Amino acid sequence: MRTRNTHINIRTTPQEKAQYQRYAQKCGLPLSEYLRKLASGYEPQSAPTKEYVELIYLLRNIYSDFQESGDYGYAKLLADVLLEFQATLNPVKNNGNNKNMAGA
């Protein structure tokens, strides 16, 4: 496990600090991790909402039901819709690649 014990200090206004903290919170990251990602050229994306995640899991369950019933046409259609839905509403960038929960 990597130990981070070297500090880099930067000066900001109170307003800038509050703004960075808000951005980090929207991404679901601690401030230091958010700033490390920005410094390494990665732009963190907002974390998906609870409702979004619940909808994705609901659609995955429906997909599984179609597959188990042998209705592969609707399963394929739903899988395609689910992937497009995820890519459109919540593109999560990681080193230039999109990750999506349907493949998880």
Side-chain angles (χ1 to χ4, degrees), residues 25-79:
Q25 185 176 22
K26 282 180 69 175
C27 295
L29 298 171
L31 180 58
S32 59
E33 182 67 18
Y34 176 79
L35 293 174
R36 273 195 299 276
K37 287 183 180 295
L38 284 177
S40 65
Y42 172 80
E43 188 173 335
Q45 301 296 308
S46 295
T49 64
K50 177 183 168 191
E51 293 80 10
Y52 172 84
V53 172
E54 288 173 357
L55 179 59
I56 293 300
Y57 285 124
L58 173 65
L59 292 172
R60 286 176 66 186
N61 288 338
I62 294 170
Y63 168 79
S64 294
D65 290 345
F66 279 136
Q67 277 200 312
E68 288 174 12
S69 71
D71 199 341
Y72 299 110
Y74 280 122
K76 167 104 174 72
L77 178 63
L78 184 57

